[in-house]
Amino acid sequence: MRVGVVTFPGSLDDRDAARAVEIAGGEAVRLWHGDHDLRGVDAVVLPGGFSYGDYLRCGAIARFAPVMTEVVEAAAGGLPVLGICNGFQVLCESHLLPGALVRNDRLRFVCRDQPLRIESNRTVWTSAYDEGAEVTIVLKNGEGGYVADPATLDRLEGEGLVVARYLGDNPNGSLRDIAGIANERGNVVGLMPHPEHAVEGLTGPGTDGLGFFASVLRSTLAA
């Protein structure tokens, strides 16, 4: 299975995401922000970092990158897309996911090993987890607070579209402790923590993040 990993100017975690794909057993395909095609990949990861320097709202410029035109169209057709941290912000700016990510309520960058609960395993990116599983994944963000209007939050909760929730102390002020959400079809997921930094026992807090990458490989091969 071929998983495209997009590099924007300012991406920091594209190589880590590509390595996570390979550890899970997939083939990582490097995609550039200026590409006008997705090279036939089976899924796409939008990695963390500071795309285009985040000089406007985070992800606001990346939303207009040529490659995102292709990603938006392909996602509408069912292509699995995972946005991690800055990638989550890009997904919201592209209207592939509702809501927005804003400045942490503590007004400073947060970097720590973060406990999460997997709220839904009914997406192509979380199917390898047990629903309700508690995992620990690296979190590092300065604008990671998820916000949306009450009606949108109620819809996300009611339709089971919250895929991960912070446990313990809320690190950034995200409403309802939301760490990740999915679209209605379950092929697009945005996640603020970094699963690509939790795929090897030698580094990071463990291998709890590997399930996100294993999930999409398993789901796509089974389709």
Side-chain angles (χ1 to χ4, degrees), residues 90-105:
V90 174
L91 290 176
C92 290
E93 290 289 339
S94 301
H95 307 296
L96 286 173
L97 293 175
L101 285 305
V102 300
R103 185 84 181 270
N104 293 351
D105 61 348

Side-chain angles (χ1 to χ4, degrees), residues 14 17 31-32 46 66 110 133 198 206-207 211 213 221:
D14 45 341
L31 300 175
W32 183 237
L46 305 179
V110 174
T207 60
F213 304 97
L221 289 173

Side-chain angles (χ1 to χ4, degrees), residues 115-131:
L116 304 174
R117 182 171 58 245
I118 302 299
E119 299 283 25
S120 172
N121 62 0
R122 299 181 300 279
T123 81
V124 298
W125 295 98
T126 57
S127 61
Y129 294 99
D130 292 331
E131 200 160 288

Side-chain angles (χ1 to χ4, degrees), residues 189-207:
V189 167
L191 185 71
M192 185 48 56
H194 288 259
E196 76 279 13
H197 294 325
V199 295
E200 295 181 281
L202 182 62
T203 59
T207 60

Side-chain angles (χ1 to χ4, degrees), residues 2 13 19 61-62 78-79 82 85 88 90 100 115 127 138 140 145 156 167 185 187 202 207 210:
R2 303 172 75 243
D13 301 301
R19 178 168 174 77
I61 300 176
L79 184 77
L82 174 65
C85 195
F88 187 4
V90 174
S127 61
V138 176
K140 50 175 189 174
L156 292 171
L167 292 178
R185 193 168 180 172
N187 64 303
L202 182 62
T207 60
L210 190 59

Side-chain angles (χ1 to χ4, degrees), residues 58-173:
C58 294
I61 300 176
R63 179 260 179 273
F64 294 102
V67 74
M68 285 306 301
T69 299
E70 308 302 325
V71 170
V72 169
E73 181 179 347
L79 184 77
V81 179
L82 174 65
I84 303 169
C85 195
N86 188 235
F88 187 4
Q89 295 161 343
V90 174
L91 290 176
C92 290
E93 290 289 339
S94 301
H95 307 296
L96 286 173
L97 293 175
L101 285 305
V102 300
R103 185 84 181 270
N104 293 351
D105 61 348
R106 303 177 188 190
L107 302 182
R108 61 175 180 265
F109 192 88
V110 174
C111 182
R112 70 192 201 188
D113 295 340
Q114 177 64 49
L116 304 174
R117 182 171 58 245
I118 302 299
E119 299 283 25
S120 172
N121 62 0
R122 299 181 300 279
T123 81
V124 298
W125 295 98
T126 57
S127 61
Y129 294 99
D130 292 331
E131 200 160 288
E134 296 185 4
V135 300
T136 299
I137 294 176
V138 176
L139 177 76
K140 50 175 189 174
N141 63 71
E143 295 180 82
Y146 181 75
V147 297
D149 62 86
T152 297
L153 292 170
D154 289 342
R155 180 177 66 82
L156 292 171
E157 299 274 16
E159 296 180 10
L161 302 179
V162 176
V163 300
R165 205 181 304 269
Y166 298 117
L167 292 178
D169 184 30
N170 187 315
N172 49 32

